């Protein structure tokens, strides 16, 4: 078959929501690359959150920060960050409202001084929703390398996430910073646990377009894998879209193929069905 360019969401697709990587998923990536296909992760994570065990699978590169960062073969193709002035304004605003926050940078994750205690309840709720009661996590377990209480006036920030005490906090952030892209995560609508602020007019689809232009590659040769509503635009943009069986109803309804759950060898099974790897 023609060589494909494969984009994998990370959480809930390549790994489960506790960060566990199935052996079959690692094998799928390795065999696909051995067969001449290119494999990239396409994630909301910043580079600092892509830990060594993921790179050790063997990846061609990544799209991070929901589209603000593009890397191929260790070379940075695109990186768009908040300005220093934007970062300062957001940090001051969140501090004034006493909303714990963390800044996602390629160099690391930097939390406000109160993040580890102030985000404890929402991190517990988020991990419970994703993993069940047996998989409840502390802030330190969820963000093992985060530095809290350090310098927060930075010029290398991809995105700022903050605890929502109420959904109104998100609405207020969107109104206060019209020059930034406001979003929520950790739940739909008013059940969201976190808000975030990032670079405006940045999407995973735009980042894929930038990478394809750099590679001189055709969109017709792209395949995207995801599990959540936020992944739908990526699946719509690529020529073929695969939803994980453990994913949400909306993405399963629009996908070209629904595979098994991440813990049921879903990635491997889909790679086999699509002829990206040899079944044996």
């Amino acid at each position: 078959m023609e060589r494909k360019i494969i984009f994998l969401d990370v959480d809930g697709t390549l790994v489960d929501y506790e960060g566990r990587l199935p052996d079959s998923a690692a094998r799928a990536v390795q065999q696909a690359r051995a067969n001449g296909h290119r494999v990239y992760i396409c994630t909301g994570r910043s580079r600092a959150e892509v830990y060594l065990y993921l790179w050790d699978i063997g990846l061609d590169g990544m799209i991070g920060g929901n589209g603000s960062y593009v890397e191929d073969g260790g070379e940075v193709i695109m990186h768009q960050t908040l300005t220093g002035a934007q970062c300062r304004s957001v940090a001051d605003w969140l501090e004034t409202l006493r909303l714990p926050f963390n800044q996602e940078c390629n160099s690391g994750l930097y939390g406000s001084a109160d993040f580890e205690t102030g985000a404890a309840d929402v991190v517990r709720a988020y991990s419970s929703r994703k993993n069940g009661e047996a998989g409840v996590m502390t802030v330190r377990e969820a963000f093992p390398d985060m530095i809290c209480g350090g310098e927060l006036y930075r010029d290398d920030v991809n995105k700022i996430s903050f605890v929502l005490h109420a959904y109104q906090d998100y609405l207020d952030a969107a109104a206060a910073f019209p020059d930034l892209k406001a979003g929520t995560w950790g739940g739909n609508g008013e059940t969201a646990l976190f808000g975030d602020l990032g670079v405006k007019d940045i999407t995973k689809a735009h980042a894929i377009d930038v990478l394809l232009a750099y590679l001189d590659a055709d969109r017709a040769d792209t395949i995207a894998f995801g599990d959540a509503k936020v992944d739908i635009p990526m699946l719509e943009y690529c020529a073929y879209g695969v939803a994980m069986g453990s994913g949400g109803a909306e993405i399963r309804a629009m996908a070209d193929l629904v595979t098994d759950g991440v813990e049921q060898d879903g990635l491997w099974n889909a790679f086999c069905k699509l002829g990206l790897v040899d079944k044996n």
Side-chain angles (χ1 to χ4, degrees):
M1 69 181 301
E2 292 184 4
R3 294 180 179 180
K4 300 297 183 181
I5 303 169
I6 302 162
F7 297 98
L8 305 175
D9 170 54
V10 175
D11 299 290
T13 301
L14 179 61
V15 304
D16 69 16
Y17 277 97
E18 291 188 69
R20 291 183 297 241
L21 171 70
D23 291 341
S24 63
R27 188 167 73 252
V29 171
Q30 291 160 356
Q31 289 196 19
R33 293 187 74 236
N35 288 344
H37 307 294
R38 302 181 72 88
V39 182
Y40 298 83
I41 54 173
C42 191
T43 175
R45 296 190 188 197
S46 293
R47 200 186 193 287
E49 298 171 275
V50 182
Y51 302 113
L52 191 58
Y53 78 98
L54 293 176
W55 287 112
D56 284 346
I57 302 169
L59 296 166
D60 288 285
M62 71 171 288
I63 290 172
N66 284 329
S68 66
Y69 178 77
V70 181
E71 177 181 322
D72 175 69
E75 182 176 350
V76 178
I77 309 306
M78 181 184 77
H79 189 195
Q80 299 195 35
T81 63
L82 278 68
T83 66
Q86 287 172 326
C87 182
R88 178 185 291 263
S89 294
V90 173
D92 287 347
W93 187 81
L94 293 170
E95 291 277 13
T96 298
L97 294 179
R98 297 184 179 178
L99 296 175
F101 65 94
N102 74 83
Q103 299 170 332
E104 301 176 18
C105 310
N106 283 4
S107 59
L109 299 179
Y110 304 96
S112 57
D114 60 346
F115 189 81
E116 191 160 357
T117 54
D121 288 346
V122 293
V123 169
R124 189 179 301 113
Y126 178 70
S127 56
S128 176
R129 287 180 186 178
K130 293 295 184 182
N131 307 324
E133 286 302 319
V136 170
M137 304 174 79
T138 65
V139 171
R140 188 50 59 188
E141 287 170 336
F143 305 103
D145 298 326
M146 182 179 291
I147 298 170
C148 293
E151 177 57 58
L152 296 175
Y153 290 167
R154 309 182 62 89
D155 60 4
D156 61 344
V157 175
N158 300 322
K159 184 174 64 175
I160 299 175
S161 288
F162 56 94
V163 171
L164 293 176
H165 291 159
Y167 188 68
Q168 187 63 43
D169 295 329
Y170 154 70
L171 298 176
D172 291 344
F177 302 101
D179 56 328
L180 297 174
K181 181 180 180 180
T184 61
W185 57 279
N188 293 324
E190 294 192 9
T191 69
L193 298 170
F194 291 92
D196 60 36
L197 291 163
V199 180
K200 202 160 191 174
D201 300 324
I202 287 295
T203 64
K204 289 182 178 180
H206 172 258
I208 291 172
D209 210 34
V210 169
L211 178 60
L212 293 178
Y214 173 79
L215 296 174
D216 193 24
D218 196 328
R219 182 172 161 186
D221 294 324
T222 57
I223 305 174
F225 291 74
D227 77 304
K229 184 176 179 180
V230 70
D231 299 317
I232 289 175
M234 176 174 70
L235 268 65
E236 289 176 334
Y237 183 82
C238 289
Y240 197 87
V242 182
M244 307 303 289
S246 48
E250 289 175 272
I251 193 168
R252 286 187 280 110
M254 58 76 60
D256 297 298
L257 171 68
V258 178
T259 186
D260 302 294
V262 61
E263 295 172 320
Q264 287 74 48
D265 302 324
L267 210 62
W268 170 261
N269 293 339
F271 275 41
C272 288
K273 287 179 183 177
L274 297 174
L276 301 170
V277 299
D278 303 320
K279 292 184 180 180
N280 298 327

